[in-house]
Amino acid sequence: MRTLLTVGAVIQSSESWIDGPAHIVIEDDRIAALAAGPYAGPQSEFDLVIRRPHALALPGLINAHGHAAMTLLRGVGDDVPLFTWLHERIFPLEAKLTGEAVYWGTLLACWEMIRSGTTCFTDMYMMMDHAAQAAAESGLRAVLSWGMVGLDEASAEAGIRNTRRFAAAWHKAADGRITVTLGPHAPYTCPPAYLTRVAELSAELGLPIQIHLAETRQEVADSLARYGASPIVHADRCGLFAHPVLAAHCVHVDDDDIAILQHRGVRVAHNPQSNLKLASGVAPVARMRAAGVTVGLGTDGAASNNNLDMFEEMRLAATLHKGVHEDAAAIPAREAFAMATELGARAVFLPEGHGTLAPGQPADIVLLDMTSPHFIPPRDLLSHVVYAAGADDVTDVFVAGRMLMAKGEVLTLDTERIRYEVRRLVSLFSGSS
Ligand SMILES: N[C@@H](CCSC[C@H]1O[C@@H](n2cnc3c(=O)[nH]cnc32)[C@H](O)[C@@H]1O)C(=O)O
Ligand SMILES: [Zn+2]
């Protein structure tokens, strides 16, 4: 399959762009050519020609942390801090979830993510075969993990068993769009010996790990009291960082922690909106970046955000740290854009070069409408994307060369059905808890 896509401008990466008409040749799942100006050869070479003269093409956004099916719990537990939110509001409802609910909740998330220009998402949840099925059907790229909690023997064993089964069934599935990772939930739900077992399983299966780390001040205090070490030092001592790790949050980390993250190559998923909403704090992203830590951006689940819009995360990342440091140069637009694209790709263990538009890279492309007020007057396009644009400006989405959305219409999902099924399912479990 050969597709010719002509657009009005291209942002290839945070470092390079084409500020005028350009064309992209897509061959199967990859970009074969990308250059300024019209395509020189005959258009009859192509199976499909898509003309979008007013579109800005950019790399699809990468959501580096989330819990997709938590769309089902959107609006549950607003305005309470993490511990209360998790233990009193979320866990009791999650205990009632079924595979069917996870399936439809994940489809709802995929719909929302496609509409807002995300082409790859990360998920840590339960009954993940259902989530993977939904991800496969949506056409999105996905980095999935079965959440593991080791608070009692039975759930600890189930976590390992489910992860093994899930990896065997789904790693590299959906034409390679799905990657399986291991998902120990957090040091406060996974005892040290369990974390060590997960580290060993990572080596055995050759799969990376994602975990929540240092999210709240309380988590750090508890870790110091219990283990005499910060969550970062503790996770390192348990052997986790001998393997590729993506650590969500890292809000409360000191310079020693940051040095360990850098030295061990631990990636960080920064979730500014969730951290603000749960009143966890603001991660020291400027210091982590200065130290050379790879930082991606995530939404976290829709029960702590409460949406899955990566444009909001990009803008927050580019504004929040300026305010905190009283430094207008903290996390410039270019840096926030990189965190949502090429750095995000690295954070979620995709091959080098993913998250950019270049020949040889996957055709994961998002088109924005440059006739929108957000792009007028047309100055620095990347600045407009980060500081002005929003999900509403997204018109078309490609993943692995396939169109998931065309002119605002999602092609891969039956959105009417998703709306119906989610309403039906939520009425079953969210009555009284
Ligand atoms: N609870 C599951 C396994 C965990 S899946 C991942 C979990 O992370 C929870 N979660 C979502 N956001 C956050 C966060 O910001 N911090 C900690 N946990 C979170 C989410 O509600 C879900 O329960 C079990 O019983 O086996
Ligand atoms: Zn989370």
Side-chain angles (χ1 to χ4, degrees):
M1 171 90 175
R2 265 169 77 80
T3 302
L4 175 64
L5 170 63
T6 59
V7 295
V10 184
I11 297 177
Q12 288 146 279
S13 73
S14 61
E15 302 293 329
S16 65
W17 51 91
I18 298 170
D19 212 346
H23 67 272
I24 303 174
V25 175
I26 301 170
E27 248 171 43
D28 299 325
D29 61 338
R30 303 216 160 235
I31 296 171
L34 187 161
Y39 181 70
Q43 304 210 340
S44 56
E45 290 173 16
F46 295 96
D47 304 296
L48 182 63
V49 177
I50 301 168
R51 290 187 192 83
R52 297 282 191 273
H54 302 295
L56 167 63
L58 41 114
L61 306 180
I62 294 171
N63 190 338
H65 180 73
H67 312 275
M70 288 187 86
T71 48
L72 298 169
L73 307 179
R74 199 194 314 268
V76 168
D78 287 343
D79 308 329
V80 292
L82 177 73
F83 195 82
T84 314
W85 176 82
L86 208 51
H87 290 274
E88 290 177 25
R89 307 286 173 88
I90 300 300
F91 283 165
L93 287 174
E94 285 183 339
K96 299 185 194 176
L97 288 183
T98 59
E100 190 191 18
V102 168
Y103 172 75
W104 288 105
T106 306
L107 281 178
L108 176 59
C110 291
W111 171 18
E112 186 179 353
M113 290 190 282
I114 291 170
R115 270 180 40 134
S116 50
T118 292
T119 55
C120 175
F121 73 101
T122 312
D123 194 8
M124 179 206 286
Y125 217 52
M126 54 196 101
M127 292 174 273
M128 288 300 291
D129 325 78
H130 300 271
Q133 183 62 37
E137 289 171 17
S138 75
L140 286 168
R141 207 175 286 286
V143 180
L144 309 176
S145 65
W146 194 303
M148 303 157 97
V149 165
L151 289 176
D152 60 78
E153 188 65 17
S155 49
E157 292 309 318
I160 304 269
R161 211 170 43 241
N162 287 326
T163 294
R164 281 186 184 282
R165 250 196 330 104
F166 182 56
W170 286 97
H171 186 51
K172 298 193 170 161
D175 301 318
R177 283 184 288 107
I178 290 179
T179 311
V180 172
T181 58
L182 311 190
H185 172 256
Y188 55 87
T189 50
C190 298
Y194 194 52
L195 288 181
T196 303
R197 262 184 88 187
V198 173
E200 287 162 5
L201 189 61
S202 162
E204 182 197 320
L205 300 177
L207 298 178
I209 296 165
Q210 49 171 318
I211 184 168
H212 296 98
L213 278 185
E215 184 171 2
T216 61
R217 200 176 289 285
Q218 189 64 46
E219 178 188 337
V220 177
D222 291 348
S223 180
L224 287 168
R226 198 173 303 161
Y227 305 118
S230 73
I232 305 299
V233 170
H234 172 67
D236 195 20
R237 282 186 193 160
C238 291
L240 234 46
F241 297 167
H243 312 280
V245 171
L246 168 61
H249 305 307
C250 297
V251 173
H252 297 279
V253 289
D254 62 19
D255 286 343
D256 292 340
D257 292 326
I258 292 174
I260 293 172
L261 295 174
Q262 189 280 328
H263 176 66
R264 296 295 224 161
V266 176
R267 295 91 157 146
V268 170
H270 176 41
N271 306 279
Q273 183 115 247
S274 170
N275 295 157
L276 288 174
K277 186 160 186 292
L278 292 170
S280 302
V282 176
V285 170
R287 278 195 288 139
M288 290 195 271
R289 287 298 298 137
V293 176
T294 298
V295 181
L297 279 181
T299 55
D300 212 351
S304 62
N305 188 300
N306 290 356
N307 64 39
L308 307 179
D309 180 348
M310 284 290 292
F311 283 90
E312 290 186 0
E313 302 304 322
M314 243 192 311
R315 185 161 324 135
L316 261 181
T319 52
L320 183 56
H321 304 283
K322 293 173 169 57
V324 168
H325 294 284
E326 298 182 37
D327 173 8
I331 313 293
R334 234 155 275 294
E335 182 79 2
F337 183 81
M339 286 172 19
T341 55
E342 65 234 53
L343 288 173
R346 221 176 285 159
V348 306
F349 316 106
L350 296 178
E352 202 54 37
H354 277 229
T356 66
L357 299 185
Q361 294 303 334
D364 294 5
I365 307 168
V366 165
L367 304 186
L368 304 186
D369 175 14
M370 288 193 295
T371 66
S372 146
H374 298 146
F375 287 93
I376 301 169
R379 287 202 177 86
D380 179 344
L381 290 172
L382 192 143
S383 159
H384 288 348
V385 167
V386 173
Y387 291 124
D392 285 355
D393 300 321
V394 177
T395 57
D396 301 76
V397 175
F398 299 76
V399 173
R402 177 179 177 204
M403 277 193 111
L404 308 190
M405 182 161 92
K407 293 189 171 170
E409 193 193 337
V410 178
L411 304 177
T412 49
L413 302 173
D414 181 347
T415 55
E416 198 60 52
R417 175 99 194 265
I418 294 170
R419 198 180 288 130
Y420 169 81
E421 297 291 352
V422 168
R423 283 188 179 145
R424 178 180 66 80
L425 286 159
V426 164
S427 71
L428 296 181
F429 70 79
S430 65
S432 57
S433 61

